[in-house]
Amino acid sequence: MANRVPNCPVEQALGLIGGKWKGIILYHLMTEKKRFGELKKHMPSITQRMLTKQLRELESDGLIHREVFKVVPPKVEYSLTDMAEPVKPIILALKEWGTTLPQASEDR
């Protein structure tokens, strides 16, 4: 692409939080730690495989922390890291903007 700016900060940021699910995951982790099942309950249309993939990517990128408790059955909690704190106002602005949009159809 001729007009592509290498290392564009917007491109970098969207690379970390872009896509259908990452922003939603971050939104649900903004107020408190959540377990995998709790996140899945908030996003019923995401597959278990996709949720796992997105959580791994967010963890790898340093936006969420995964804490494993050594209990039976195993317990894992996800939370935002300090690196994700600046994303909160962006997610909240998207939420506010989303409330002003006409209802999306299920066909999208």
Side-chain angles (χ1 to χ4, degrees):
M1 210 184 308
N3 294 333
R4 184 177 178 277
V5 178
N7 299 318
C8 170
V10 174
E11 184 178 352
Q12 261 185 302
L14 288 176
L16 293 177
I17 65 167
K20 182 175 181 178
W21 299 110
K22 288 182 180 178
I24 299 167
I25 292 168
L26 294 172
Y27 172 73
H28 290 299
L29 292 174
M30 283 180 25
T31 56
E32 61 186 5
K33 297 176 180 182
K34 294 219 177 6
R35 295 179 67 179
F36 185 92
E38 293 173 298
L39 288 168
K40 180 74 174 94
K41 189 187 297 185
H42 286 294
M43 299 176 285
S45 58
I46 192 172
T47 64
Q48 186 167 328
R49 182 173 181 252
M50 180 57 73
L51 179 55
T52 299
K53 179 180 184 290
Q54 298 293 280
L55 287 168
R56 284 183 183 154
E57 288 178 13
L58 287 166
E59 182 185 13
S60 174
D61 290 335
L63 293 172
I64 65 169
H65 173 72
R66 179 178 183 263
E67 186 171 358
V68 180
F69 297 89
K70 296 189 187 289
V71 294
V72 178
K75 177 182 174 183
V76 178
E77 286 183 342
Y78 297 92
S79 59
L80 296 184
T81 63
D82 290 342
M83 184 179 166
E85 287 299 314
V87 178
K88 284 182 173 183
I90 297 165
I91 299 292
L92 290 174
L94 285 169
K95 177 189 175 215
E96 185 63 33
W97 180 50
T99 64
T100 69
L101 299 173
Q103 286 291 77
S105 72
E106 289 293 322
D107 296 338
R108 285 190 194 177

